Amino acid sequence: MANKDLIKRAFSVTANLPATPAVDAVAGQPLPLSDAPAVPTEIAELAAQAVAPTAAVAPTRLSLGTPKTSPGSMMAFMTEQSEVHREVVRLREQVNAFDGADVARRLDPSQIVASKWANRDESHFSTEVFARLKQEIASAGGNVQPIKVRALDSPRAEGARWEIVFGHRRHRACLELGIPVLALIQRDMPDADLFVEMERENREREDLSAWEQGVMYMRALEHGLFPSAKQLAAAIDRDMGNISKAMALAKLPADVVRAFGSPLNLQFRWATALKDAHQRDPEALLAAAREIAAASPMPSPAAVFSTLTANANKSGRSATSPVEWKDEQGKRLALLTFDRKGRATVSFEHALDEGQQRKLTKVVDSFLGRKT
Protein backbone atom coordinates (compact mmCIF):
# COMPACT_ATOMS: atom_id res chain seq x y z
CA MET A 1 0.00 0.00 0.00
CA ALA A 2 2.84 2.34 0.87
CA ASN A 3 4.48 1.67 -2.49
CA LYS A 4 1.28 2.53 -4.32
CA ASP A 5 1.01 5.78 -2.39
CA LEU A 6 4.56 6.71 -3.40
CA ILE A 7 3.82 6.01 -7.05
CA LYS A 8 0.72 8.18 -6.88
CA ARG A 9 2.72 10.96 -5.32
CA ALA A 10 5.49 10.60 -7.92
CA PHE A 11 3.16 11.00 -10.92
CA SER A 12 0.51 13.26 -9.41
CA VAL A 13 2.26 16.26 -10.97
CA THR A 14 1.48 15.09 -14.51
CA ALA A 15 -1.71 13.12 -13.98
CA ASN A 16 -4.07 15.92 -15.07
CA LEU A 17 -1.93 17.70 -17.72
CA PRO A 18 -3.17 17.83 -21.37
CA ALA A 19 -1.99 15.08 -23.70
CA THR A 20 0.56 17.11 -25.74
CA PRO A 21 3.56 15.33 -27.28
CA ALA A 22 7.04 16.72 -26.70
CA VAL A 23 8.00 19.22 -29.39
CA ASP A 24 11.37 20.22 -30.75
CA ALA A 25 11.45 23.99 -29.97
CA VAL A 26 13.62 24.77 -33.02
CA ALA A 27 12.14 22.50 -35.72
CA GLY A 28 8.61 22.62 -34.38
CA GLN A 29 8.18 18.80 -34.88
CA PRO A 30 7.18 16.12 -32.29
CA LEU A 31 10.17 14.40 -30.71
CA PRO A 32 10.55 10.58 -31.04
CA LEU A 33 10.15 8.65 -27.84
CA SER A 34 13.85 7.95 -27.61
CA ASP A 35 14.52 11.69 -27.62
CA ALA A 36 11.84 12.58 -25.09
CA PRO A 37 13.08 14.99 -22.42
CA ALA A 38 14.37 13.44 -19.18
CA VAL A 39 12.17 13.21 -16.14
CA PRO A 40 13.45 15.36 -13.29
CA THR A 41 15.82 13.42 -11.00
CA GLU A 42 13.65 13.86 -7.92
CA ILE A 43 10.63 12.23 -9.60
CA ALA A 44 12.74 9.36 -10.99
CA GLU A 45 14.23 8.59 -7.60
CA LEU A 46 10.82 8.69 -5.91
CA ALA A 47 9.38 6.27 -8.48
CA ALA A 48 12.31 3.86 -8.10
CA GLN A 49 11.98 3.77 -4.34
CA ALA A 50 8.29 3.03 -4.64
CA VAL A 51 8.94 -0.05 -6.80
CA ALA A 52 12.01 -1.47 -4.98
CA PRO A 53 12.61 0.24 -1.70
CA THR A 54 15.62 -1.90 -0.78
CA ALA A 55 17.42 -1.67 -4.15
CA ALA A 56 19.91 0.99 -5.14
CA VAL A 57 18.50 3.75 -7.23
CA ALA A 58 20.05 3.11 -10.60
CA PRO A 59 18.05 4.99 -13.23
CA THR A 60 18.06 8.80 -13.11
CA ARG A 61 16.36 9.22 -16.50
CA LEU A 62 13.06 7.80 -17.65
CA SER A 63 11.86 7.74 -21.24
CA LEU A 64 8.15 8.07 -21.08
CA GLY A 65 6.15 6.92 -24.05
CA THR A 66 3.05 8.91 -23.28
CA PRO A 67 2.56 12.61 -23.98
CA LYS A 68 1.31 13.17 -20.45
CA THR A 69 4.68 14.10 -18.97
CA SER A 70 5.60 17.20 -16.98
CA PRO A 71 8.67 18.03 -19.11
CA GLY A 72 6.80 17.47 -22.37
CA SER A 73 3.93 19.60 -21.24
CA MET A 74 6.35 22.25 -20.07
CA MET A 75 8.08 22.20 -23.47
CA ALA A 76 4.76 22.63 -25.23
CA PHE A 77 3.87 25.44 -22.89
CA MET A 78 7.19 27.18 -23.56
CA THR A 79 6.70 26.80 -27.31
CA GLU A 80 3.27 28.36 -27.05
CA GLN A 81 4.68 31.17 -24.93
CA SER A 82 7.39 31.74 -27.55
CA GLU A 83 4.71 32.22 -30.22
CA VAL A 84 2.88 34.67 -27.98
CA HIS A 85 6.11 36.56 -27.37
CA ARG A 86 6.81 36.85 -31.09
CA GLU A 87 3.27 38.18 -31.65
CA VAL A 88 3.73 40.75 -28.89
CA VAL A 89 7.02 41.90 -30.46
CA ARG A 90 5.36 42.20 -33.88
CA LEU A 91 2.46 44.25 -32.51
CA ARG A 92 4.84 46.45 -30.55
CA GLU A 93 6.78 47.19 -33.73
CA GLN A 94 3.56 48.20 -35.48
CA VAL A 95 2.66 50.55 -32.63
CA ASN A 96 6.17 52.07 -32.60
CA ALA A 97 5.84 52.81 -36.31
CA PHE A 98 3.11 55.36 -35.42
CA ASP A 99 5.02 56.85 -32.50
CA GLY A 100 4.94 60.65 -32.81
CA ALA A 101 2.42 60.61 -35.67
CA ASP A 102 -0.30 63.26 -35.78
CA VAL A 103 -3.76 62.14 -34.76
CA ALA A 104 -6.45 62.55 -37.43
CA ARG A 105 -10.10 62.89 -36.52
CA ARG A 106 -13.22 64.73 -37.63
CA LEU A 107 -13.81 68.02 -35.82
CA ASP A 108 -16.62 70.51 -35.64
CA PRO A 109 -15.45 73.33 -37.98
CA SER A 110 -17.13 75.92 -35.75
CA GLN A 111 -14.59 75.02 -33.04
CA ILE A 112 -11.68 75.91 -35.33
CA VAL A 113 -10.38 79.44 -35.92
CA ALA A 114 -8.16 80.79 -38.68
CA SER A 115 -4.51 81.22 -37.85
CA LYS A 116 -3.26 84.68 -36.97
CA TRP A 117 -0.81 84.12 -39.84
CA ALA A 118 -3.66 83.42 -42.26
CA ASN A 119 -2.78 84.67 -45.73
CA ARG A 120 -5.99 84.08 -47.68
CA ASP A 121 -7.67 87.22 -48.92
CA GLU A 122 -11.44 87.13 -48.49
CA SER A 123 -11.90 87.44 -52.24
CA HIS A 124 -10.35 83.99 -52.64
CA PHE A 125 -13.50 82.40 -51.20
CA SER A 126 -15.68 83.81 -53.99
CA THR A 127 -13.59 82.44 -56.85
CA GLU A 128 -14.56 79.64 -59.21
CA VAL A 129 -11.61 77.60 -57.93
CA PHE A 130 -13.00 77.65 -54.38
CA ALA A 131 -16.49 76.83 -55.66
CA ARG A 132 -15.12 73.70 -57.37
CA LEU A 133 -13.26 72.68 -54.22
CA LYS A 134 -16.41 73.09 -52.16
CA GLN A 135 -18.40 70.99 -54.64
CA GLU A 136 -15.79 68.20 -54.55
CA ILE A 137 -15.87 68.11 -50.75
CA ALA A 138 -19.67 68.02 -50.75
CA SER A 139 -19.79 65.11 -53.20
CA ALA A 140 -17.22 63.15 -51.16
CA GLY A 141 -19.06 63.77 -47.90
CA GLY A 142 -16.07 65.59 -46.44
CA ASN A 143 -12.49 66.60 -47.16
CA VAL A 144 -10.36 63.62 -48.19
CA GLN A 145 -7.09 65.47 -47.63
CA PRO A 146 -7.02 66.53 -43.96
CA ILE A 147 -6.22 70.01 -42.74
CA LYS A 148 -3.86 70.51 -39.80
CA VAL A 149 -4.65 72.25 -36.51
CA ARG A 150 -2.93 72.95 -33.24
CA ALA A 151 -4.60 73.12 -29.84
CA LEU A 152 -5.26 76.57 -28.44
CA ASP A 153 -3.75 77.35 -25.05
CA SER A 154 -7.28 77.82 -23.72
CA PRO A 155 -10.74 77.61 -25.37
CA ARG A 156 -12.01 80.88 -26.84
CA ALA A 157 -15.20 82.55 -25.69
CA GLU A 158 -17.00 81.39 -28.85
CA GLY A 159 -16.05 77.80 -28.06
CA ALA A 160 -13.08 77.50 -30.43
CA ARG A 161 -10.50 74.94 -29.33
CA TRP A 162 -8.25 74.64 -32.38
CA GLU A 163 -6.21 76.95 -34.64
CA ILE A 164 -5.51 76.18 -38.28
CA VAL A 165 -1.93 75.41 -39.31
CA PHE A 166 -2.85 74.90 -42.97
CA GLY A 167 -6.00 74.12 -44.91
CA HIS A 168 -8.03 77.32 -44.52
CA ARG A 169 -9.96 76.76 -47.75
CA ARG A 170 -10.89 73.16 -46.88
CA HIS A 171 -11.98 74.30 -43.42
CA ARG A 172 -14.04 77.15 -44.90
CA ALA A 173 -15.73 74.77 -47.36
CA CYS A 174 -16.70 72.33 -44.58
CA LEU A 175 -17.90 75.22 -42.40
CA GLU A 176 -20.17 76.53 -45.16
CA LEU A 177 -21.42 73.00 -45.93
CA GLY A 178 -22.11 72.32 -42.24
CA ILE A 179 -20.14 69.06 -42.15
CA PRO A 180 -17.23 67.91 -39.93
CA VAL A 181 -13.73 68.58 -41.20
CA LEU A 182 -11.03 65.90 -41.17
CA ALA A 183 -7.99 67.31 -39.37
CA LEU A 184 -4.54 66.27 -38.21
CA ILE A 185 -4.10 67.37 -34.62
CA GLN A 186 -0.86 68.59 -33.08
CA ARG A 187 -1.04 69.60 -29.47
CA ASP A 188 2.03 71.79 -29.21
CA MET A 189 3.55 73.83 -32.05
CA PRO A 190 5.59 77.06 -31.81
CA ASP A 191 4.52 80.00 -33.98
CA ALA A 192 7.64 79.81 -36.17
CA ASP A 193 7.03 76.11 -36.92
CA LEU A 194 3.39 76.84 -37.74
CA PHE A 195 4.44 79.61 -40.16
CA VAL A 196 6.98 77.38 -41.96
CA GLU A 197 4.50 74.49 -42.35
CA MET A 198 1.78 76.83 -43.62
CA GLU A 199 4.07 78.51 -46.15
CA ARG A 200 5.44 75.24 -47.54
CA GLU A 201 2.03 73.58 -47.79
CA ASN A 202 0.62 76.59 -49.65
CA ARG A 203 3.63 76.71 -51.96
CA GLU A 204 3.19 73.04 -52.91
CA ARG A 205 -0.44 73.68 -53.81
CA GLU A 206 0.62 76.62 -56.03
CA ASP A 207 -2.63 78.52 -55.51
CA LEU A 208 -1.45 81.35 -53.27
CA SER A 209 -1.09 84.67 -55.07
CA ALA A 210 2.05 86.81 -55.00
CA TRP A 211 0.23 89.52 -53.01
CA GLU A 212 -1.02 87.00 -50.42
CA GLN A 213 2.50 85.64 -50.00
CA GLY A 214 3.80 89.17 -49.48
CA VAL A 215 1.19 89.84 -46.78
CA MET A 216 2.19 86.60 -45.07
CA TYR A 217 5.91 87.48 -45.10
CA MET A 218 5.33 91.03 -43.85
CA ARG A 219 3.11 89.77 -41.03
CA ALA A 220 5.77 87.30 -39.93
CA LEU A 221 8.42 90.03 -39.79
CA GLU A 222 6.11 92.51 -38.03
CA HIS A 223 5.37 89.96 -35.29
CA GLY A 224 9.05 89.12 -34.83
CA LEU A 225 8.93 85.50 -35.99
CA PHE A 226 12.18 86.14 -37.85
CA PRO A 227 14.69 88.96 -37.20
CA SER A 228 15.14 89.74 -40.90
CA ALA A 229 13.78 88.93 -44.34
CA LYS A 230 17.05 87.13 -45.08
CA GLN A 231 16.56 84.73 -42.17
CA LEU A 232 12.92 84.25 -43.15
CA ALA A 233 14.05 83.25 -46.64
CA ALA A 234 16.51 80.74 -45.16
CA ALA A 235 13.88 79.25 -42.85
CA ILE A 236 11.40 78.57 -45.64
CA ASP A 237 14.07 77.86 -48.29
CA ARG A 238 12.91 80.53 -50.72
CA ASP A 239 14.77 82.93 -53.00
CA MET A 240 15.25 86.34 -51.39
CA GLY A 241 14.33 88.03 -54.68
CA ASN A 242 10.86 86.43 -54.72
CA ILE A 243 10.28 87.40 -51.10
CA SER A 244 11.25 91.01 -51.84
CA LYS A 245 8.93 91.16 -54.85
CA ALA A 246 6.04 89.65 -52.89
CA MET A 247 6.46 92.16 -50.06
CA ALA A 248 6.73 95.04 -52.57
CA LEU A 249 3.29 94.08 -53.93
CA ALA A 250 1.87 93.80 -50.41
CA LYS A 251 3.13 97.33 -49.60
CA LEU A 252 1.29 98.93 -52.51
CA PRO A 253 -1.47 101.39 -51.50
CA ALA A 254 -4.96 99.91 -51.23
CA ASP A 255 -6.19 102.08 -54.11
CA VAL A 256 -3.55 100.62 -56.41
CA VAL A 257 -4.43 97.04 -55.41
CA ARG A 258 -8.13 97.79 -55.89
CA ALA A 259 -7.48 98.97 -59.45
CA PHE A 260 -6.57 95.39 -60.39
CA GLY A 261 -10.02 94.16 -59.31
CA SER A 262 -8.56 91.64 -56.85
CA PRO A 263 -5.15 91.30 -55.17
CA LEU A 264 -5.08 87.79 -56.64
CA ASN A 265 -4.44 89.38 -60.07
CA LEU A 266 -1.10 90.92 -59.06
CA GLN A 267 1.94 89.08 -60.43
CA PHE A 268 5.53 88.75 -59.26
CA ARG A 269 6.93 90.17 -62.50
CA TRP A 270 5.04 93.45 -61.99
CA ALA A 271 6.44 94.17 -58.54
CA THR A 272 9.54 96.19 -59.46
CA ALA A 273 7.81 98.42 -62.01
CA LEU A 274 4.90 99.20 -59.72
CA LYS A 275 7.25 99.93 -56.83
CA ASP A 276 9.30 102.32 -59.01
CA ALA A 277 6.13 104.05 -60.24
CA HIS A 278 5.01 104.59 -56.67
CA GLN A 279 8.40 105.99 -55.61
CA ARG A 280 8.65 108.21 -58.68
CA ASP A 281 5.26 109.90 -58.38
CA PRO A 282 2.92 108.51 -55.70
CA GLU A 283 0.25 111.16 -56.31
CA ALA A 284 0.00 110.43 -60.01
CA LEU A 285 -0.10 106.67 -59.38
CA LEU A 286 -2.94 106.97 -56.88
CA ALA A 287 -4.93 109.28 -59.15
CA ALA A 288 -4.61 106.88 -62.09
CA ALA A 289 -5.51 103.90 -59.87
CA ARG A 290 -8.71 105.56 -58.59
CA GLU A 291 -9.75 106.46 -62.13
CA ILE A 292 -9.28 102.85 -63.25
CA ALA A 293 -11.20 101.46 -60.28
CA ALA A 294 -14.19 103.68 -61.15
CA ALA A 295 -14.22 102.60 -64.81
CA SER A 296 -16.91 100.27 -66.12
CA PRO A 297 -16.17 97.78 -67.37
CA MET A 298 -12.83 97.49 -65.67
CA PRO A 299 -9.83 96.83 -67.93
CA SER A 300 -7.82 93.62 -67.75
CA PRO A 301 -5.07 93.34 -65.11
CA ALA A 302 -2.41 93.58 -67.82
CA ALA A 303 -3.96 96.79 -69.14
CA VAL A 304 -4.09 98.21 -65.62
CA PHE A 305 -0.41 97.47 -65.14
CA SER A 306 0.49 99.19 -68.42
CA THR A 307 -1.51 102.28 -67.51
CA LEU A 308 -0.10 102.62 -64.01
CA THR A 309 3.51 102.18 -65.09
CA ALA A 310 3.37 104.36 -68.22
CA ASN A 311 6.05 107.08 -68.26
CA ALA A 312 3.70 109.66 -69.80
CA ASN A 313 1.49 111.78 -67.57
CA LYS A 314 -1.87 113.28 -68.49
CA SER A 315 -0.35 116.32 -70.14
CA GLY A 316 1.66 114.11 -72.43
CA ARG A 317 5.05 115.20 -71.07
CA SER A 318 7.41 112.36 -70.26
CA ALA A 319 8.49 112.00 -66.70
CA THR A 320 12.21 112.19 -66.05
CA SER A 321 13.78 108.97 -64.84
CA PRO A 322 15.20 108.97 -61.30
CA VAL A 323 18.94 109.49 -60.78
CA GLU A 324 20.93 107.42 -58.29
CA TRP A 325 24.34 107.85 -56.66
CA LYS A 326 26.00 104.68 -55.39
CA ASP A 327 29.18 103.73 -53.52
CA GLU A 328 31.86 101.24 -54.62
CA GLN A 329 29.79 98.30 -53.34
CA GLY A 330 26.76 99.37 -55.32
CA LYS A 331 24.77 100.62 -52.33
CA ARG A 332 22.59 103.67 -52.92
CA LEU A 333 23.83 106.90 -51.39
CA ALA A 334 21.27 109.36 -52.76
CA LEU A 335 18.25 109.44 -55.09
CA LEU A 336 16.89 112.27 -57.23
CA THR A 337 13.28 111.88 -58.44
CA PHE A 338 10.84 114.07 -60.36
CA ASP A 339 7.05 114.13 -60.23
CA ARG A 340 4.75 114.72 -63.21
CA LYS A 341 4.98 118.49 -62.73
CA GLY A 342 8.78 118.41 -62.85
CA ARG A 343 9.28 118.97 -59.14
CA ALA A 344 12.49 117.38 -57.84
CA THR A 345 13.12 115.51 -54.63
CA VAL A 346 16.57 114.53 -53.36
CA SER A 347 16.80 111.89 -50.65
CA PHE A 348 19.91 110.59 -48.90
CA GLU A 349 20.22 107.10 -47.45
CA HIS A 350 22.17 108.36 -44.44
CA ALA A 351 21.78 111.40 -42.21
CA LEU A 352 23.93 114.41 -43.16
CA ASP A 353 26.20 116.02 -40.61
CA GLU A 354 26.48 119.80 -40.25
CA GLY A 355 29.36 120.08 -42.69
CA GLN A 356 27.49 118.14 -45.40
CA GLN A 357 24.38 120.19 -44.82
CA ARG A 358 26.34 123.44 -45.36
CA LYS A 359 27.89 122.05 -48.58
CA LEU A 360 24.48 121.00 -49.89
CA THR A 361 23.08 124.45 -49.11
CA LYS A 362 25.89 126.10 -51.07
CA VAL A 363 25.26 123.79 -54.04
CA VAL A 364 21.58 124.75 -54.08
CA ASP A 365 22.47 128.43 -53.65
CA SER A 366 24.75 128.18 -56.66
CA PHE A 367 22.14 126.27 -58.67
CA LEU A 368 19.39 128.82 -57.96
CA GLY A 369 21.72 131.82 -58.24
CA ARG A 370 20.72 133.13 -54.87
CA LYS A 371 21.50 132.51 -51.24
CA THR A 372 19.16 131.18 -48.58
Side-chain angles (χ1 to χ4, degrees):
M1 181 63 71
N3 290 344
K4 292 181 178 180
D5 291 337
L6 287 174
I7 292 173
K8 290 180 180 180
R9 289 169 55 195
F11 294 102
S12 62
V13 177
T14 61
N16 296 318
L17 291 176
T20 305
V23 177
D24 186 330
V26 176
Q29 301 294 330
L31 289 171
L33 297 180
S34 59
D35 295 333
V39 177
T41 303
E42 294 81 2
I43 298 179
E45 290 178 349
L46 186 58
Q49 291 175 7
V51 176
T54 58
V57 179
T60 59
R61 173 186 174 95
L62 293 179
S63 296
L64 302 179
T66 65
K68 294 184 178 181
T69 64
S70 178
S73 300
M74 181 59 69
M75 184 64 72
F77 174 75
M78 292 176 64
T79 301
E80 183 180 352
Q81 289 296 96
S82 178
E83 292 293 334
V84 172
H85 175 71
R86 282 195 289 269
E87 180 68 10
V88 169
V89 171
R90 185 181 66 82
L91 294 174
R92 184 178 295 149
E93 291 176 350
Q94 291 182 355
V95 172
N96 290 339
F98 292 94
D99 186 30
D102 296 324
V103 179
R105 53 187 270 203
R106 296 200 176 275
L107 302 175
D108 181 352
S110 65
Q111 294 183 348
I112 303 174
V113 294
S115 170
K116 56 186 174 183
W117 317 112
N119 45 29
R120 292 289 182 193
D121 184 72
E122 188 65 23
S123 61
H124 207 113
F125 300 110
S126 59
T127 62
E128 184 179 348
V129 174
F130 177 73
R132 288 198 302 267
L133 173 66
K134 184 176 175 181
Q135 184 177 1
E136 290 175 3
I137 291 177
S139 62
N143 56 308
V144 177
Q145 183 176 2
I147 69 171
K148 188 169 186 177
V149 299
R150 71 171 176 179
L152 294 171
D153 294 334
S154 58
R156 302 275 179 88
E158 64 274 17
R161 299 174 53 198
W162 316 98
E163 180 183 1
I164 298 175
V165 177
F166 57 73
H168 287 82
R169 292 192 311 150
R170 281 163 279 169
H171 166 259
R172 178 69 168 264
C174 290
L175 182 65
E176 293 183 2
L177 292 169
I179 60 177
V181 57
L182 181 64
L184 296 172
I185 298 174
Q186 186 160 331
R187 297 290 173 179
D188 300 312
M189 175 179 279
D191 285 345
D193 291 349
L194 185 154
F195 178 87
V196 171
E197 282 204 33
M198 178 189 296
E199 196 280 335
R200 288 182 175 172
E201 201 270 349
N202 284 329
R203 192 195 320 171
E204 290 174 0
R205 298 181 67 83
E206 297 182 353
D207 58 3
L208 196 66
S209 72
W211 183 87
E212 288 173 317
Q213 291 181 46
V215 170
M216 181 179 180
Y217 300 148
M218 287 180 56
R219 195 170 296 165
L221 294 176
E222 290 170 358
H223 286 78
L225 283 187
F226 305 95
S228 66
K230 186 175 181 180
Q231 293 192 21
L232 184 154
I236 62 177
D237 193 24
R238 294 219 70 174
D239 180 70
M240 185 61 204
N242 284 339
I243 290 179
S244 297
K245 290 178 181 178
M247 290 195 296
L249 293 175
K251 291 177 182 178
L252 291 173
D255 285 338
V256 175
V257 175
R258 195 175 299 112
F260 286 87
S262 168
L264 309 183
N265 293 326
L266 289 165
Q267 300 183 24
F268 279 108
R269 58 193 176 93
W270 296 343
T272 302
L274 288 171
K275 177 183 176 182
D276 290 345
H278 183 242
Q279 289 181 340
R280 183 170 58 248
D281 192 350
E283 294 180 4
L285 182 69
L286 289 174
R290 295 187 185 108
E291 184 176 342
I292 293 173
S296 181
M298 291 187 64
S300 67
V304 173
F305 169 75
S306 298
T307 301
L308 294 181
T309 56
N311 289 328
N313 55 41
K314 291 183 178 179
S315 62
R317 187 169 56 83
S318 298
T320 305
S321 299
V323 179
E324 282 186 305
W325 287 266
K326 298 182 180 180
D327 61 13
E328 292 78 5
Q329 287 74 36
K331 294 182 179 179
R332 179 189 293 174
L333 297 175
L335 176 68
L336 172 63
T337 58
F338 303 90
D339 64 14
R340 60 189 179 87
K341 294 181 179 180
R343 293 174 297 191
T345 302
V346 180
S347 59
F348 297 88
E349 295 298 313
H350 304 288
L352 303 179
D353 58 29
E354 292 184 4
Q356 291 173 322
Q357 292 176 13
R358 286 194 295 271
K359 289 181 180 179
L360 179 61
T361 302
K362 290 182 179 180
V363 170
V364 176
D365 287 344
S366 175
F367 177 79
L368 294 177
R370 63 181 64 191
K371 294 185 177 181
T372 55

